[in-house]
């Protein structure tokens, strides 16, 4: 079943992408939730017109994302965590903590667009990937220190 996405869905695609999904997933989840529409001929024509009109806006958004990516690559965040005697942290560092640390620096990024690829088990320096745009991804460094 081919559908046109109305929003970005992690692991599936970005807004205005035509993707192939299993019929049950499309019928029972994507379409009723308003995340996608069926890829009929009329919807494809509407999509083409929308893409044509939004091309200028998309270029501006992409340049803003690239500027933010350079800003993030030069930034190092400090995340505080409780550390035991063995050097391991209690709990774990989450994307919410990284998002809050970025907010303190004046950069608002949704925590769903941040992913930590390596499990953080102790103090040290780590990296998280930030998905700013469909073509722009950036890494932000963060240091875990004891409280």
């Amino acid at each position: 079943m081919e559908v046109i996405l109305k929003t970005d869905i992690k692991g599936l695609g970005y807004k205005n992408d035509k993707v192939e999904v299993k019929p049950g997933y499309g019928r029972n989840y994507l379409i009723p939730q308003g995340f996608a529409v069926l890829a009929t001929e009329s919807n494809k024509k509407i999509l083409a017109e929308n893409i044509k009109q939004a091309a200028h806006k998309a270029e501006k958004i992409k340049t803003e994302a690239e500027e933010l990516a350079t800003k993030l690559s030069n930034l190092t965040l400090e995340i505080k965590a409780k550390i035991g005697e063995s050097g391991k942290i209690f709990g774990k560092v989450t994307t919410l903590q990284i998002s809050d640390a970025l907010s303190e620096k004046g950069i608002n990024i949704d925590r769903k667009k941040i992913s930590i690829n390596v499990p953080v088990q102790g103090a040290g320096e780590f990296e998280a990937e930030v998905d700013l745009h469909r073509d722009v991804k950036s890494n932000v460094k963060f240091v875990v220190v004891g409280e």
Side-chain angles (χ1 to χ4, degrees):
M1 166 183 242
E2 191 176 35
V3 295
I4 300 170
L5 297 177
K6 292 169 102 180
T7 61
D8 296 348
I9 298 177
K10 191 171 184 176
L12 186 60
Y14 297 95
K15 183 177 180 178
N16 294 332
D17 281 353
K18 284 187 275 186
V19 293
E20 192 71 32
V21 296
K22 292 190 176 184
Y25 183 52
R27 256 192 334 268
N28 298 326
Y29 179 68
L30 293 176
I31 294 171
Q33 294 291 328
F35 296 145
V37 293
L38 204 55
T40 60
E41 287 303 315
S42 62
N43 284 340
K44 288 179 184 177
K45 287 179 185 176
I46 292 169
L47 171 68
E49 185 62 31
N50 288 344
I51 289 174
K52 185 176 157 186
Q53 290 178 359
H56 179 68
K57 249 196 272 184
E59 187 62 36
K60 182 181 174 199
I61 291 170
K62 184 178 178 184
T63 55
E64 288 174 357
E66 288 171 345
E67 290 171 7
L68 187 58
T70 57
K71 196 176 189 182
L72 286 176
S73 64
N74 298 329
L75 191 66
T76 302
L77 302 173
E78 187 174 294
I79 307 292
K80 294 186 180 192
K82 291 186 179 181
I83 298 177
E85 292 178 17
S86 63
K88 290 193 174 187
I89 63 172
F90 295 113
K92 63 181 185 178
V93 175
T94 62
T95 56
L96 181 62
Q97 290 172 303
I98 294 172
S99 177
D100 289 343
L102 285 170
S103 294
E104 290 174 8
K105 300 276 186 182
I107 302 170
N108 292 322
I109 295 178
D110 186 24
R111 68 181 180 91
K112 294 176 185 165
K113 295 188 179 216
I114 301 171
S115 60
I116 303 171
N117 300 328
V118 179
V120 179
Q121 296 180 345
E125 190 171 308
F126 301 93
E127 279 193 353
E129 186 178 59
V130 181
D131 187 9
L132 300 169
H133 185 267
R134 71 183 333 164
D135 299 329
V136 182
K137 293 182 182 4
S138 179
N139 288 330
V140 62
K141 293 180 181 116
F142 64 95
V143 178
V144 177
V145 294
E147 287 184 323

